[in-house]
Amino acid sequence: GLNGMLGQQLRQVLEARGHTVVGATSLELNLLESDVALRQKLEAWSPATAPLTAIVHAAAYTNVDGAESNPDLAMAVNKEGTHKMVLLAKDLD
């Protein structure tokens, strides 16, 4: 996500290279939401006047101890959430 270590570094590098970065925290874009809700949010960030040119998915469930005690949640975020984002990016071209 935007506030994670990877997201923060990506934002700095991309903005330094002149790219406009639109990012989200897990509260703003929750990978456990429905495909429809995620799509609506992505479309709202991609107006016709300035469409998205790339989606960088940097969200992950990284709490190792939490993942061991709640593997279903870790899989829902890391595997299924990533799969949703891939399909949405493909569908949004």
Side-chain angles (χ1 to χ4, degrees):
L2 179 66
N3 288 340
M5 292 185 338
L6 178 59
Q8 290 177 23
Q9 291 297 309
L10 281 170
R11 174 176 237 162
Q12 285 179 350
V13 168
L14 292 170
E15 287 179 343
R17 294 182 180 179
H19 298 282
T20 300
V21 176
V22 177
T25 66
S26 60
L27 296 175
E28 298 164 324
L29 188 71
N30 185 333
L31 296 177
L32 301 177
E33 292 181 271
S34 72
D35 295 359
V36 172
L38 290 171
R39 182 186 181 94
Q40 288 173 338
K41 289 179 181 181
L42 290 174
E43 287 175 336
W45 291 329
S46 183
T49 56
L52 291 175
T53 56
I55 295 174
V56 177
H57 169 49
Y61 188 94
T62 59
N63 177 336
V64 175
D65 292 334
E68 288 179 359
S69 63
N70 195 346
D72 292 339
L73 177 59
M75 288 297 283
V77 172
N78 292 344
K79 180 183 176 222
E80 295 159 26
T82 298
H83 187 246
K84 284 182 192 180
M85 291 303 293
V86 167
L87 294 178
L88 285 168
K90 182 179 178 185
D91 192 44
L92 294 169
D93 195 32

